[in-house]
Amino acid sequence: MMSPSEIEALFTRPDGSYAFARWGRPIAPIVFGVADETLGVVKGAIEAVVTLAGHQMAETDPELGSNLMFFFFREWDELLAVPDLDRLIPDLGDVVTRLQEADASQYRAFRFDDHGAIQACFVFLRMSGAMAKLPAETLALTQAVQSILMWGDKAFAEMSPLAVIPESGATILRPDIAGVVAAAYDRMLPVAAVDPSHALRLFARLQSPIEIPAAEASEDGSAASSADAGSAGSGS
């Protein structure tokens, strides 16, 4: 089980401040740039993590239509051609330039409501290099868990949120991370917090047994294929 200090580190920003947020509305996902067989894997991973959290999904969001958007592509400058994306991501040109200079493979941008809860999340995945070699189910589950909460920038810098069962080779969400996700959506806890004592409240709720989501394999087990981003944080 994680210690309170380890939980606090999951939601600590580079400046040392604590920042936690969870979704405050049902999640309505949409995915661009993948083949049909991979689409089901991505949505299946999202559903598994949302179920773990005890949260809800919806067909549409009343304000955005879809509030969790995944974009798969090969090069960052492809985003500049996506219609109206600059309305969702302020200073899109500057963001793309920064990500290109950093040779980043992924970027997440969150939008929050008046209570500090997550209102929308935009996930951008550059499918080249090591990222393109990941199995679709592994990539999908990793991104689903990183989108269910606003984690700290370094939460998974040294260790993946996933684990592999040696006996079967199946990829699952690490039990300690699954526990934090489930605890974070306890109805008695706030949707957002900036006081580090919030980590102690999460720790106190890590006792209950939970069902760990496993990655679902696509028919061919391949990684998500890149295509045009189509119509419609943090980078690493």
Side-chain angles (χ1 to χ4, degrees):
M1 180 186 300
M2 281 189 162
S3 67
S5 61
E6 289 174 325
I7 296 173
E8 181 179 339
L10 292 174
F11 303 102
T12 299
R13 292 178 172 177
D15 64 3
S17 63
Y18 186 88
F20 163 90
R22 72 187 190 203
W23 285 83
R25 59 180 60 198
I27 297 174
I30 192 168
V31 184
F32 300 100
V34 298
D36 289 344
E37 60 268 22
T38 304
L39 178 62
V41 174
V42 176
K43 289 195 171 182
I46 297 170
E47 290 174 0
V49 174
V50 170
T51 299
L52 165 68
H55 196 54
Q56 302 83 38
M57 293 186 67
E59 290 295 327
T60 59
D61 177 83
E63 295 180 31
L64 293 173
S66 296
N67 55 28
L68 175 55
M69 301 184 184
F70 287 83
F71 297 84
F72 292 79
F73 50 90
R74 291 193 181 278
E75 298 299 337
W76 287 111
D77 56 11
E78 293 177 39
L79 299 182
L80 300 176
V82 179
D84 298 324
L85 187 58
D86 56 344
R87 297 174 59 185
L88 299 176
I89 308 297
D91 303 317
L92 178 62
D94 292 340
V95 171
V96 167
T97 298
R98 187 174 78 246
L99 293 170
Q100 288 175 320
E101 292 175 349
D103 195 26
S105 60
Q106 57 186 300
Y107 178 74
R108 272 173 300 281
F110 290 89
R111 181 182 295 180
F112 306 92
D113 64 21
D114 293 340
H115 301 287
I118 298 173
Q119 183 181 48
C121 178
F122 311 102
V123 182
F124 302 93
L125 301 170
R126 178 184 169 218
M127 299 305 296
S128 63
M131 181 75 79
K133 297 178 182 178
L134 288 175
E137 60 273 17
T138 299
L139 179 60
L141 188 55
T142 300
Q143 296 303 321
V145 72
Q146 290 190 88
S147 303
I148 195 67
L149 296 171
M150 185 183 71
W151 305 90
D153 291 11
K154 302 299 182 181
F156 305 117
E158 297 182 359
M159 184 178 293
S160 168
L162 308 187
V164 177
I165 300 176
E167 294 79 7
S168 64
T171 300
I172 64 169
L173 187 57
R174 276 170 40 200
D176 53 353
I177 296 300
V180 171
V181 170
Y185 277 83
D186 187 297
R187 294 184 180 181
M188 298 304 293
L189 292 183
V191 295
V194 295
D195 192 320
S197 65
H198 175 264
L200 291 173
R201 301 180 69 183
L202 289 175
F203 174 75
R205 288 163 171 79
L206 291 182
Q207 315 301 323
S208 302
I210 57 174
E211 183 175 347
I212 309 299
E216 292 186 10
S218 59
E219 292 182 1
D220 59 2
S222 60
S225 60
S226 178
D228 291 341
S231 58
S234 59
S236 63

